[in-house]
Amino acid sequence: MRPAGGWDPNPPLQTARLRLEPQRAGHAGAMQAVLADPRVHAFLPSSPPDVEALRERFARLESRRSPDGREGWLNWVVFPRLDGPALGTVQATVRPVAAEADLAYVFAPHAWGQGYGTEAVGALLSFLAGRWGVREAVAQVDTRNHASIRLLTRLGFRQTGFTPHADTFRGEGSDEFTFRLLLAAPRADGQAFR
Ligand SMILES: CC(C)(COP(=O)(O)OP(=O)(O)OC[C@H]1O[C@@H](n2cnc3c(N)ncnc32)[C@H](O)[C@@H]1OP(=O)(O)O)[C@@H](O)C(=O)NCCC(=O)NCCS
C-alpha cells in the first residue's frame, strides 16, 4: 500500500530533542533493552520479549503494511537526537480510507517523565496529518495508566469511550478508555499539528 507518488510512508522524523528512526530488524537489540523492564508492561498484555522473536517481528514489519494491504503499519525507534541508547518506540496503524490511525507508544523507564513521550507522539501526529492525511487519531488506554492518559490529554486528546473488561492479562481484568483527537488539515506553513 505504498502511497502514490513514491514518497516514503515511514521516513525518519526529528524533533527538538529526538530522532525517530524507521524501525528495522537491526533495532531488535536496542528495543529488547527498552522492553526488558517489566514496568513497561504493567498496563499492557505484553511481556519482555526475546531478541530473536523481536528481530523476526521487526523484519516482517519492514513491509510497512498489513498483509491485506489495507493498513499502514508504521513503526519508529526513538533515540536522543544527538547520541545515546534507544528511548522507546512510537507506532501507528493507519487506515487511509477512514483517514484514521491507532497509536501506540512505549518508552524505557529511565526516560519517563521528561516529556519525550509527548514530544515523539506529537511529531508522529504531525507526520500522520501532513503526509498520510489522517484526520483522527485513536488510542486505547488501560484506565490505570495515568502517565499515558496525561500524555494524551496534553496533546489534546479527549476521552470518548470506556470498555470494561477489555482484556485480561497477568490474572487481572483491564478496563480501557478510548481517546480520540481530530487533526486539522496541514497548514500552508507545513505545520500540521500544534
Ligand atoms: C506512557 C509513557 C509512554 C509516557 O512516556 P513519558 O516519556 O514519561 O511521557 P511524558 O514525559 O511526555 O509525560 C506525560 C505525562 O505523564 C506523566 N508521567 C510520566 N511518568 C509517569 C508515571 N510513572 N506516573 C504518572 N504520571 C507520569 C508526566 O508527568 C506527564 O504529565 P504532566 O503533563 O502532567 O507533567 C510511558 O510511561 C511508558 O512507556 N509507559 C509504559 C508503556 C505504556 O504504558 N504505553 C502506553 C500504552 S497506552
Side-chain angles (χ1 to χ4, degrees), residues 138-182:
V138 186
Q140 308 288 349
V141 189
D142 185 296
T143 55
R144 299 164 294 180
N145 195 344
H146 300 297
S148 184
I149 291 167
R150 281 295 308 155
L151 179 155
L152 292 167
T153 306
R154 270 179 79 175
L155 288 169
F157 281 75
R158 296 279 177 267
Q159 188 203 320
T160 59
F162 170 70
T163 310
H165 314 299
D167 206 345
T168 301
F169 41 85
R170 288 180 287 282
E172 279 192 64
S174 162
D175 301 336
E176 281 182 0
F177 290 134
T178 300
F179 277 82
R180 291 179 182 268
L181 176 67
L182 291 175

Side-chain angles (χ1 to χ4, degrees), residues 15 17-20 76 78-80 87-91 103-126 147-157 193-194:
T15 70
R17 296 182 297 164
L18 304 172
R19 210 161 31 83
L20 281 61
W76 287 263
V78 182
F79 291 89
L87 301 172
T89 178
V90 294
Q91 308 168 358
L103 306 187
Y105 39 84
V106 172
F107 283 76
H110 69 81
W112 290 354
Q114 299 170 66
Y116 291 141
T118 306
E119 191 169 319
V121 175
L124 174 61
L125 291 168
S126 290
S148 184
I149 291 167
R150 281 295 308 155
L151 179 155
L152 292 167
T153 306
R154 270 179 79 175
L155 288 169
F157 281 75
F193 178 76
R194 302 185 93 204

Side-chain angles (χ1 to χ4, degrees), residues 28-90:
M31 278 308 300
Q32 201 260 345
V34 170
L35 299 172
D37 190 318
R39 285 176 292 172
V40 163
H41 307 275
F43 305 119
L44 301 172
S46 50
S47 47
D50 166 64
V51 72
E52 271 315 311
L54 218 46
R55 199 185 316 280
E56 279 171 32
R57 183 148 65 88
F58 287 4
R60 281 198 308 276
L61 289 169
E62 285 186 23
S63 70
R64 314 294 181 204
R65 61 185 189 173
S66 60
D68 66 10
R70 290 187 186 170
E71 296 179 337
W73 287 0
L74 313 179
N75 297 265
W76 287 263
V77 178
V78 182
F79 291 89
R81 183 153 165 178
L82 295 181
D83 198 15
L87 301 172
T89 178
V90 294

